[in-house]
Amino acid sequence: MTPEDAVVDLRSDTVTLPTEEMLEAIKQAKLGDDVYGEDPTVLRLEEMAAQKMGKEAALLVTSGTQANLVSTMSNTKRGDSVILEAESHVYWYEVGGISTIGGVLPWPVRGNRGALDPADVEAAIRPKNIHFPDATLVCIENTHNRAGGTVITPAQIGVLGEVVHSHGLKFYMDGARIFNAAVALGVDVKEFTKSVDNLMFCLSKGLSCPVGSLVVGDADFVGRARKYRKMLGGGMRQAGIIAAPGIVALEKMIGRLADDHDNAKLLALGLAKVDGIEVDLGAVQTNMVAFSVRGLEITADQFVARAKEKGVLCGTVDAFRVRMVTHRGIEKADIEKTLQRIQDMTRGR
Ligand SMILES: Cc1ncc(COP(=O)(O)O)c(C=O)c1O
């Protein structure tokens, strides 16, 4: 637990620091030149990741953004179009890399709590025509960040996958927080991966690693991704120092995500009781809480600034919505402290 007056940092699960065991694993890691395919620790992590996801191969990359970019490039050719959710991270927060570097046209389709309706996707797949770019890829996000950490269920993925594949498109999942989804539903992560062709997941969010994401899929796809990673300057040498904590994460850090989910629920229930704050409790499914501050007659930016003065760090989703994220290092007492501070902050308005 943090001291009584300490700042509670709920901006993102990316602020987590590595555990002692991770730091020790870094120290002990056997290393080699990974561009030559000779780093045993990287090879082991990639094998573990592929096996956990039920796919042939995996590739360690520097970040979630790089994972989405090399995956998009490996699933498409320049001039294609990619159907993705209109609020997705790839569309909003990745500097337009799939267009500027990958050369593809994003074709956004709005989902419901982050989930794409298969009928909407089918309607967005335009036929081959001299005027249209070829639609070759559908991308989903799970859990869905801007929707507030919502889970796209294996059943939803399965139905959508049938539509995508019946039109001959590839199906990719930005699974930055896919283990949060698996833990939330209490099912094996393979339930989420079996209907997609390939995916990525992040080590550096709730799993607490300092760096890294993995791209996972069949061997040909991962081979192409490896080459694009090199092109983008992501060919790392003794990358075992990044892979070593990743191995610890996959072995030991998944189950504890349930604590983050419990804390997020506690936070959401408390916030829902604050006059002027509105929380869609049904959307609080994992480690995020998104809520409207419109009823407080302030903007999300103003809320974030005032909360900071009170010792609570959070972020904005849009003009009137704020997001708080739970993670390792945030405990029940920190949630209680946060609720107290937010109550104090809003009471005198
Ligand atoms: C859903 C999703 N995808 C991709 C990313 C990008 O990850 P990174 O910050 O490692 O580039 C994030 C980051 O928060 C994310 O939430």
Side-chain angles (χ1 to χ4, degrees):
M1 188 182 38
T2 51
E4 212 35 55
D5 58 348
V7 169
V8 182
D9 192 347
L10 298 168
R11 287 173 300 168
S12 176
D13 47 10
T14 56
V15 303
T16 46
L17 299 175
T19 62
E20 282 304 317
E21 194 175 351
M22 288 178 179
L23 294 172
E24 191 52 37
I26 292 170
K27 241 164 94 181
Q28 302 297 334
K30 296 210 170 10
L31 303 175
D33 188 329
D34 184 51
V35 175
Y36 294 150
E38 289 173 3
D39 189 301
T41 312
V42 172
L43 293 173
R44 175 147 175 253
L45 172 66
E46 290 177 343
E47 200 181 307
M48 279 174 77
Q51 203 218 346
K52 245 193 164 40
M53 297 297 170
K55 304 288 182 198
E56 265 175 20
L59 175 74
L60 176 66
V61 298
T62 58
S63 66
T65 301
Q66 189 178 63
N68 283 332
L69 179 55
V70 299
S71 297
T72 303
M73 292 171 80
S74 305
N75 275 320
T76 59
K77 59 182 189 331
R78 295 180 72 78
D80 286 353
S81 76
V82 175
I83 294 168
L84 39 63
E85 208 282 316
E87 297 284 320
S88 63
H89 197 278
V90 172
Y91 193 53
W92 273 74
Y93 298 123
E94 299 183 8
V95 207
I98 63 166
S99 303
T100 54
I101 302 171
V104 298
L105 177 74
W107 195 263
V109 173
R110 197 158 292 281
N112 177 17
R113 281 189 180 160
L116 289 167
D117 184 326
D120 293 341
V121 171
E122 189 148 43
I125 302 173
R126 296 188 300 166
K128 294 259 187 262
N129 180 299
I130 194 167
H131 298 94
F132 303 156
D134 291 339
T136 50
L137 177 67
V138 173
C139 170
I140 59 170
E141 181 175 312
N142 206 3
T143 61
H144 195 289
N145 185 336
R146 283 184 58 81
T150 50
V151 176
I152 318 301
T153 66
Q156 288 172 313
I157 300 170
V159 175
L160 182 56
E162 277 175 30
V163 169
V164 173
H165 289 138
S166 73
H167 288 271
L169 277 69
K170 287 273 189 259
F171 194 24
Y172 169 73
M173 179 163 67
D174 170 349
R177 296 181 181 80
I178 196 59
F179 287 111
N180 290 85
V183 166
L185 295 198
V187 299
D188 190 285
V189 73
K190 290 188 198 69
E191 292 299 313
F192 292 88
T193 62
K194 65 185 184 195
S195 303
V196 298
D197 296 297
N198 38 64
L199 70 140
M200 75 85 159
F201 70 92
C202 292
L203 296 169
S204 60
K205 301 194 162 64
L207 297 184
S208 302
C209 290
V211 194
S213 294
L214 284 128
V215 169
V216 194
D218 68 38
D220 281 350
F221 166 80
V222 169
R224 288 193 295 280
R226 189 176 293 282
K227 194 150 179 175
Y228 283 125
R229 181 190 69 171
K230 187 77 183 80
M231 184 194 283
L232 295 168
M236 299 173 283
R237 301 297 177 173
Q238 284 73 39
I241 60 165
I242 293 171
I247 291 169
V248 175
L250 291 186
E251 283 174 345
K252 306 218 169 138
M253 302 299 284
I254 296 170
R256 64 150 306 284
L257 295 172
D259 298 345
D260 300 342
H261 300 176
D262 290 346
N263 284 332
K265 281 203 181 72
L266 194 66
L267 178 64
L269 288 169
L271 287 169
K273 289 190 194 130
V274 177
D275 217 14
I277 289 181
E278 208 176 299
V279 192
D280 174 5
L281 291 173
V284 182
Q285 300 172 4
T286 56
N287 67 331
M288 296 185 184
V289 183
F291 54 94
S292 169
V293 296
R294 204 183 272 273
L296 294 171
E297 292 170 3
I298 55 172
T299 63
D301 279 331
Q302 287 169 327
F303 182 97
V304 168
R306 289 184 200 180
K308 187 175 178 184
E309 283 169 18
K310 289 279 179 193
V312 175
L313 303 184
C314 47
T316 61
V317 180
D318 57 32
F320 291 100
R321 273 198 309 153
V322 170
R323 187 189 78 162
M324 293 182 175
V325 184
T326 56
H327 49 81
R328 194 177 63 81
I330 297 296
E331 299 186 8
K332 196 171 167 216
D334 298 304
I335 301 298
E336 285 158 2
K337 215 182 300 174
T338 299
L339 291 170
Q340 190 58 56
R341 290 175 185 178
I342 298 298
Q343 264 152 11
D344 291 348
M345 176 185 127
T346 55
R347 199 169 287 132
R349 76 188 156 95

